[in-house]
Amino acid sequence: MSVNTQMLTIAAYSLDLPAYACARIRLLGPASILRGRVDMRWAATSNGTDYAIDSSAMTGADAVIFQRYFPMKETWPIVEQALSSGRPVVYDVDDNFLAVPPDHPMRQRLAPIEPFTRELLARATLVTVSTVELRHAFKGLAHKIEVLPNFLEERLWIGPMARGREPGPVRIVFAGTPSHGKDLELVLPALAAVKQHFGNAVEIVFMGCSPSGIDATVIGFNEDYAGYAAALRKLAPDIGLAPLADSAFNRCKSAVKWLEYSALGTAGVYADLPAYASVRHGETGLIAGSDSVEWEQALVKLVEDAPFRRALGHQAAAEVRSRWGMTTGAEGYLKVWKRVCHASG
């Protein structure tokens, strides 16, 4: 099969809606920036209840990409069709679906896909992952694995720093899907202690999770990634939280929370896990371990020392804006997609 040198055509199959974070960050965002060089055919649509999957999208395509938990019993005929077509097949994964914790809210839904995940890992031409840790986790299960890090769409995140709200209490924000309840357990005692100590001088906001026993404002999670970015920008957090319980699943997570908070100039406190290994403690964020006292100390430091807090946020923003914008990152995606097509051509 010869690869079109003018335009790379990719058929993409994902059960994430096009507006969702993973669809945008890992496929549609890069493809949009690469418009004119990549034609990405989005081959699965949904009315909110049922999916319509277009098998003809792979006809004439240079490559087929399956994303995340697309491979399952119901969709496997489409996967098998691609695998037997002679076209290169890429499996893009950003979570370790082989190590979902028993108490994870998505465990029951994700457990049935594990054998299909393993099968596609083994048979795909290439597996692309978001982190080095995830590549390590899949080592020996796939023929070839490449790391494609997550980047941020500049038009959503890289604008004027979000500092437009009126002076008031220091705003501490956790933003994440409702599945992060277990991750938040570690920091709840620290938040309670900080609130008790500073009173109305601090404000705690949970976007997406609603833990009990904390004096906090709770707002819903917007699954539309553009809407989520706009809502977080409007909140203008002074401090962002990114706790993670230590598990094989969470060790494969990416630093997307650091990217998002930092793009807004927000000083963040991050879990001492591989996801945030690139955060320079005291320069582009603060790292806290498994002891809630460490989280409390980090929060107290950021609340009390406004110049330090602002400097931390500005340094993190400078790094994200210079190195982690999707306009630059998309070129790496293109190189990998072209390489897999030429290797199979």
Side-chain angles (χ1 to χ4, degrees):
M1 181 179 62
S2 63
V3 178
N4 187 329
T5 57
Q6 300 301 314
M7 175 82 78
L8 193 66
T9 301
I10 299 174
Y13 292 85
S14 175
L15 296 183
D16 276 24
L17 298 181
Y20 286 6
C22 289
R24 290 192 66 148
I25 291 173
R26 299 202 52 79
L27 295 179
L28 291 171
S32 177
I33 289 167
L34 298 167
R35 188 179 292 113
R37 291 183 285 170
V38 172
D39 174 22
M40 183 162 286
R41 302 171 179 172
W42 199 254
T45 58
S46 174
N47 60 9
T49 303
D50 299 312
Y51 282 88
I53 299 173
D54 182 9
S55 62
S56 69
M58 67 179 77
T59 302
D62 297 306
V64 180
I65 294 181
F66 294 106
Q67 190 183 44
R68 305 188 75 213
Y69 47 80
F70 184 89
M72 59 178 62
K73 180 180 179 181
E74 294 80 2
T75 60
W76 193 254
I78 297 289
V79 179
E80 192 64 56
Q81 180 180 340
L83 290 170
S84 60
S85 70
R87 294 179 177 82
V89 172
V90 178
Y91 186 22
D92 183 67
V93 197
D94 68 336
D95 270 317
N96 188 353
F97 294 129
L98 306 182
V100 181
D103 56 356
H104 192 281
M106 294 285 286
R107 172 64 184 176
Q108 188 172 358
R109 178 182 174 185
L110 293 176
I113 78 165
E114 182 173 329
F116 300 96
T117 296
R118 290 183 180 275
E119 181 77 4
L120 187 51
L121 285 171
R123 296 176 63 189
T125 312
L126 173 69
V127 175
T128 54
V129 297
S130 52
T131 68
V132 172
E133 288 294 322
L134 194 48
R135 182 176 63 189
H136 290 334
F138 290 157
K139 185 179 180 180
L141 301 177
H143 297 295
K144 185 174 178 57
I145 307 172
E146 294 214 32
V147 177
L148 285 177
N150 292 328
F151 294 88
L152 291 185
E153 292 179 77
E154 289 90 343
R155 65 195 183 101
L156 297 185
W157 296 99
I158 315 298
M161 288 194 189
R163 285 293 178 268
R165 64 184 175 88
E166 294 298 318
V170 175
R171 183 171 288 168
I172 303 171
V173 173
F174 170 83
T177 62
S179 65
H180 286 283
K182 189 70 176 179
D183 299 325
L184 274 172
E185 288 181 6
L186 174 65
V187 302
L188 293 181
L191 288 170
V194 167
K195 184 64 178 176
Q196 183 177 16
H197 180 73
F198 292 102
N200 292 334
V202 300
E203 176 189 16
I204 301 170
V205 180
F206 294 110
M207 179 194 289
C209 287
S210 53
S212 59
I214 294 289
D215 180 9
T217 299
V218 176
I219 60 178
F221 186 82
N222 193 333
E223 292 186 331
D224 180 299
Y225 192 59
Y228 163 79
L232 191 55
R233 179 177 292 281
K234 185 177 180 180
L235 272 178
D238 295 296
I239 301 170
L241 296 176
L244 286 173
D246 192 354
S247 68
F249 182 75
N250 279 342
R251 284 179 168 269
C252 294
K253 289 284 188 181
S254 77
V256 70
K257 287 287 171 256
W258 175 74
L259 294 176
E260 293 169 352
Y261 290 145
S262 297
L264 304 183
T266 299
V269 187
Y270 304 94
D272 188 11
L273 287 180
Y276 301 112
S278 62
V279 178
R280 299 192 304 279
H281 182 70
E283 296 181 26
T284 59
L286 294 181
I287 298 295
S290 58
D291 187 341
S292 64
V293 173
E294 292 184 31
W295 289 84
E296 181 181 345
Q297 291 172 341
L299 288 170
V300 168
K301 171 65 174 175
L302 291 176
V303 172
E304 289 183 336
D305 193 340
F308 173 70
R309 182 177 72 239
R310 296 188 186 105
L312 203 68
H314 278 280
Q315 289 178 102
E319 182 160 328
V320 168
R321 290 161 181 241
S322 64
R323 296 184 54 195
W324 295 100
M326 195 172 285
T327 299
T328 299
E331 296 297 325
Y333 280 63
L334 180 60
K335 288 178 182 178
V336 168
W337 292 341
K338 277 188 171 180
R339 193 157 57 237
V340 72
C341 291
H342 283 291
S344 300

